[in-house]
Amino acid sequence: MSQQKHLVIVDDEPVILQILSAVFEDGPWRVTTCASGQQALDVMDAQGVDLLITDKNLPDVSGLQLLEHCRAQNDLSEVIIITGYASLETALNALELDAFDYVLKPLNNVFDIKRKVQRASEKQDYAMENRRLIAELSEKNAALEQALADTRQLQQELIQSEKLAGIGTLAAGIAHEVSSPLFGIMGLAEAILDEDDASVVDGHARDIVDYSATIRDIVVELSSYSRAAASEYLTTVELSKVVDDAVRLVERSVDRGDVTITTDVAPETYVNARTSEVQQVFVNLVKNAVEALVESGTGSSVRVLAGRTEGSVWAKVVDDGPGIEADKLDLVFDPFYTTKAPGKGTGLGLNIVYRIITKYRGSVQVESPGGQGTTFSLQLPVEH
Ligand SMILES: Nc1ncnc2c1ncn2[C@@H]1O[C@H](COP(=O)(O)OP(=O)(O)OP(=O)(O)O)[C@@H](O)[C@H]1O
Ligand SMILES: [Mg+2]
């Protein structure tokens, strides 16, 4: 205890006060003696109180009243009652009011009193330490709850920002994809200007409509992907459609050499989720597979398979590429784990996949037996 405790001793018999102040003189406490109940009330109000020894029968204020006042002042204070009558009633009274202990007059054994005060003081120390720990715990608890809320918020922002960062790299590929129909349109439009034959103009116009539709589809795909998930409702997502969209987005945006991407999704496979998030999962898995195959020059096929079983939907993205070393399998879902050259990958793709899937109470695993390609498997519960 850094601060000295205040011990207040109250008795109307001067000799008792004298004895007790002598007993506690060299103790660790700051002692105040009071010859009346009123004086004790004033002292407690003015200076506070930690320990109180009081006569039970004072002429002005009863010892039990002092006890109550003491408790009101400091709810961790401890009180010892001095009484002239060794009756059961006195003992019960004192205990009922939660006095720490009582001592009998005449005071034959002053060391006994000292021991009792010592023990009361120790009990008080424990209670104070307890209270401090509880306060500290609840403070930490509040901080933890806040941290959890912040993390959730951050997670949502991260999912969105990774998607936007992903769009940067997708956009480069997509610009290329848009540019060929666009050049086609420009060429045809110029040709129309110089063309007199109505039937040729008609054919060019139809081609322009077709090219424009291609560009429109690309733009629609990209904008559905970039939509903020939080503003989107949970819907029944048809997996075959989302997988097709995701594959198309990857095909348009990543240079895949002679890697072929095939899909085999059982019809009527539905999950209850946000379309853009499910799409994000497949874009990341398929894009990773294609990138691994192209980068390493091994393997030539990426397959996306999906179907449903009782109560859940499963999907696999399987490639025959370089595989992942056994000791790296545990790392791939970690944020910022990447084997790509600086500036090429953020290492967030699979972490986002993991977050999205676990958010829907699903699970995702990776396997790469003996470096023979890589398989990412996911399961999502179907809830209604
Ligand atoms: N199909 C795969 N075959 C081999 N390695 C893979 C495959 N998929 C993921 N990896 C490994 O896991 C790492 C982490 O993938 P993740 O998608 O999280 O990040 P990234 O692809 O490196 O970067 P980003 O996705 O942010 O552009 C990759 O760098 C790669 O080493
Ligand atoms: Mg990736």
Side-chain angles (χ1 to χ4, degrees):
M1 214 55 280
S2 52
Q3 216 186 342
Q4 223 185 359
K5 288 185 183 176
H6 188 200
L7 168 63
V8 177
I9 305 174
V10 196
D11 205 303
D12 58 326
E13 289 176 59
V15 60
I16 289 197
L17 279 188
Q18 239 165 23
I19 294 172
L20 289 179
S21 59
V23 167
F24 291 106
E25 200 175 48
D26 57 350
W29 308 291
R30 181 167 67 86
V31 179
T32 307
T33 52
C34 305
S36 72
Q38 187 54 53
Q39 191 191 346
L41 290 176
D42 293 343
V43 164
M44 287 194 279
D45 284 343
Q47 304 175 27
V49 58
D50 297 297
L51 301 160
L52 172 70
I53 304 176
T54 178
D55 189 2
K56 183 164 175 264
N57 297 306
L58 295 162
D60 55 347
V61 181
S62 87
L64 298 183
Q65 264 171 288
L66 284 187
L67 186 154
E68 281 173 354
H69 195 82
C70 177
R71 277 286 151 73
Q73 247 289 333
N74 173 358
D75 64 346
L76 292 184
S77 59
E78 291 295 344
V79 179
I80 290 172
I81 304 280
I82 308 171
T83 172
Y85 321 96
S87 68
L88 184 61
E89 198 197 343
T90 309
L92 286 179
N93 241 329
L95 292 179
E96 200 176 315
L97 280 161
D98 201 24
F100 180 75
D101 211 336
Y102 64 100
V103 289
L104 294 177
K105 282 189 207 175
L107 305 177
N108 296 325
N109 186 349
V110 288
F111 295 104
D112 182 43
I113 304 178
K114 199 169 181 181
R115 256 198 311 279
K116 283 179 174 167
V117 175
Q118 186 69 47
R119 284 212 310 272
S121 176
E122 280 164 12
K123 178 184 170 201
Q124 185 174 62
D125 289 344
Y126 286 128
M128 284 162 76
E129 180 62 6
N130 244 346
R131 177 171 290 186
R132 194 187 62 74
L133 287 176
I134 288 171
E136 203 177 285
L137 265 183
S138 66
E139 214 170 273
K140 286 207 174 118
N141 204 27
L144 273 179
E145 269 168 21
Q146 184 58 44
L148 190 64
D150 289 351
T151 308
R152 291 213 172 105
Q153 169 74 21
L154 205 66
Q155 172 170 340
Q156 203 51 51
E157 284 167 15
L158 192 62
I159 290 178
Q160 183 59 16
S161 68
E162 200 272 346
K163 199 159 57 176
L164 292 178
I167 282 173
T169 59
L170 289 177
I174 282 174
H176 174 76
E177 194 69 14
V178 169
S179 67
S180 36
L182 193 61
F183 280 119
I185 290 171
M186 280 168 66
L188 290 167
E190 271 167 25
I192 285 174
L193 288 178
D194 300 329
E195 187 59 64
D196 297 326
D197 185 337
S199 67
V200 175
V201 169
D202 200 51
H204 285 355
R206 279 174 206 286
D207 287 345
I208 287 176
V209 170
D210 287 349
Y211 280 139
S212 305
T214 305
I215 294 175
R216 180 202 57 205
D217 290 348
I218 295 171
V219 169
V220 166
E221 275 165 28
L222 195 61
S223 59
S224 83
Y225 184 74
S226 66
R227 197 179 305 140
S231 63
E232 199 189 326
Y233 292 109
L234 287 177
T235 50
T236 305
V237 177
E238 183 168 8
L239 222 52
S240 63
K241 182 175 175 333
V242 177
V243 166
D244 280 350
D245 285 350
V247 167
R248 215 160 337 124
L249 209 55
V250 174
E251 283 176 342
R252 287 193 201 292
S253 59
V254 179
D255 182 9
R256 74 192 138 95
D258 49 13
V259 172
T260 56
I261 310 175
T262 52
T263 62
D264 183 2
V265 179
E268 307 205 353
T269 303
Y270 300 105
V271 291
N272 195 35
R274 293 189 176 87
T275 311
S276 72
E277 289 181 337
V278 181
Q279 196 178 342
Q280 197 173 0
V281 165
F282 286 101
V283 165
N284 274 314
L285 293 177
V286 173
K287 186 161 157 280
N288 277 350
V290 172
E291 285 168 345
L293 267 59
V294 170
E295 228 168 77
S296 67
T298 41
S300 60
S301 93
V302 178
R303 290 179 300 145
V304 187
L305 316 169
R308 58 179 302 171
T309 56
E310 188 71 25
S312 74
V313 163
W314 61 268
K316 284 180 195 294
V317 177
V318 186
D319 70 60
D320 58 354
I324 300 173
E325 290 166 48
D327 60 334
K328 302 290 185 316
L329 285 174
D330 283 346
L331 301 176
V332 295
F333 295 107
D334 287 354
F336 307 117
Y337 173 78
T338 179
T339 55
K340 288 176 186 149
K344 281 239 161 154
T346 60
L348 284 172
L350 287 176
N351 186 253
I352 297 296
V353 168
Y354 175 82
R355 285 163 193 269
I356 292 173
I357 295 299
T358 50
K359 194 172 85 171
Y360 290 115
R361 298 181 199 290
S363 61
V364 49
Q365 300 87 31
V366 56
E367 286 165 287
S368 183
Q372 298 291 302
T374 305
T375 299
F376 281 89
S377 315
L378 29 116
Q379 297 78 36
L380 283 169
V382 183
E383 291 163 35
H384 289 289

